[in-house]
């Protein structure tokens, strides 16, 4: 290498670092990869929201695609996504929506769904947040796509709206249908 | 404006004071120490830059309670860490484990430092040799230089 071209090494190095840092800047630091993607849905048996004497277990979530939505009435973004979930669940007949009522007041949760509509085929109560920990949940709302083999395929943190559904959920569902 | 500022400062101060003060019972001081150590090295999944002990997010409280329960059940530190890692991934640990993905993170700075030494060494050892050959004038050259300088003096005066 000639002496002259050596002079450009620091500049090239600088550009590479600039590129790396710029790439890092564009990434969302709050996006945390889920440890549960491609792992089986954790086993559970939790009381049903509308009938405390009945339990809903993970064994019942077989044969089909499930969207497991962790929600609560104390969580404002859950209120935002609720109408979207209603609309989407009416449209997507082959997908089963499961509502995990997370660390909530059970009565308030029942009233919420009775008044505003119930997008969920299964409603279960996670009063102490133990199922939430098993799901690796950091808060609410969070939503998991579970395929027909009971494997978690995707974890979504935050609100689902039509855009998120079309851009993120549809492609994954298309793969596993 | 001043009142607003004072309120803001006060709000910050309150938040700091309230964070994670919990009355906890353990069977022995050793358990409490293990608990403290575990919640110090684990990260709150919600707040990104706070450990479990320093966070008052609800999930951090839940995870602290879970760790405490598992200590009381007699689980080892390793079992508890594995439990958390299975659910929250390596993210839960403040100190990233050494593996293929994190190798660059661990060794990158060392490689850069070594590279810096190599470059600095080469620059320092090359410079005098190069400079010496260029700056020393041969006898002929210095005679010529003297001549030129004299000429200039003559033309000026």
């Amino acid at each position: 290498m000639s002496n002259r071209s050596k002079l450009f090494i620091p500049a090239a190095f600088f550009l590479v670092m600039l590129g790396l840092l710029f790439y890092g800047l564009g990434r969302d630091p709050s996006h945390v990869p889920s440890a549960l993607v491609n792992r089986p849905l954790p086993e559970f048996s939790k009381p049903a929201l509308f009938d405390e004497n009945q339990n809903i277990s993970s064994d019942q979530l077989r044969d089909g695609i499930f969207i497991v939505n962790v929600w609560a009435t104390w969580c404002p973004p859950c209120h935002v996504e609720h109408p979207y979930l209603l609309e989407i669940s009416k449209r997507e007949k082959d997908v089963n929506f499961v509502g995990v009522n997370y660390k909530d007041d059970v009565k308030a949760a029942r009233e919420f769904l009775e008044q505003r509509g119930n997008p969920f085929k299964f409603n279960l109560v996670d009063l102490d947040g133990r199922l939430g920990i098993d799901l690796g949940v950091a808060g609410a709302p969070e939503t998991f796509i579970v395929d027909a083999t009971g494997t978690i395929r995707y974890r979504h943190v935050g609100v689902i709206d039509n855009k998120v559904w079309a851009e993120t959920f549809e492609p994954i569902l298309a793969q596993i249908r | 404006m001043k009142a607003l500022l004072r309120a803001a400062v006060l709000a910050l101060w309150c938040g700091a004071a309230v964070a994670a003060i919990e009355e906890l019972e353990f069977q022995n001081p050793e358990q409490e120490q293990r608990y403290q150590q575990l919640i110090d090295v684990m990260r709150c999944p919600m707040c990104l830059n706070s450990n479990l002990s320093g966070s008052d997010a609800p999930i951090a409280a839940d995870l602290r309670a879970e760790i405490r329960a598992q200590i009381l059940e007699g689980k080892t530190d390793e079992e508890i860490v594995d439990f958390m890692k299975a659910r929250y991934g390596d993210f839960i640990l403040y100190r990233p484990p050494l593996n293929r993905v994190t190798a660059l993170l661990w060794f990158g700075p060392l490689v850069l430092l070594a590279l810096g030494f190599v470059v600095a060494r080469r620059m320092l050892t090359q410079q005098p040799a190069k400079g010496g050959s260029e700056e020393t004038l041969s006898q002929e050259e210095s005679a010529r230089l003297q001549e030129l300088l004299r000429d200039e003096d003559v033309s000026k005066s």
Side-chain angles (χ1 to χ4, degrees), chain B residues 90 95-107:
Chain B
D90 290 340
R95 197 185 164 86
L98 182 56
N99 58 34
R100 280 222 326 268
V101 183
T102 57
L104 189 66
L105 188 67
W106 279 95
F107 299 119

Side-chain angles (χ1 to χ4, degrees), chain B residues 13-57:
Chain B
W13 177 76
C14 290
V18 167
I21 297 173
E22 285 158 332
E23 199 75 40
L24 288 177
E25 277 172 28
F26 287 94
Q27 288 155 358
N28 55 51
E30 186 243 357
Q31 283 184 340
E32 189 164 359
Q33 202 193 332
R34 281 175 53 208
Y35 169 78
Q36 200 58 50
Q37 205 231 328
L38 281 168
I39 65 173
D40 280 345
V41 299
M42 283 192 206
R43 177 146 72 159
C44 163
M46 189 170 228
C47 11
L48 304 178
N49 272 325
S50 171
N51 55 12
L52 286 182
S53 64
S55 168
D56 51 4

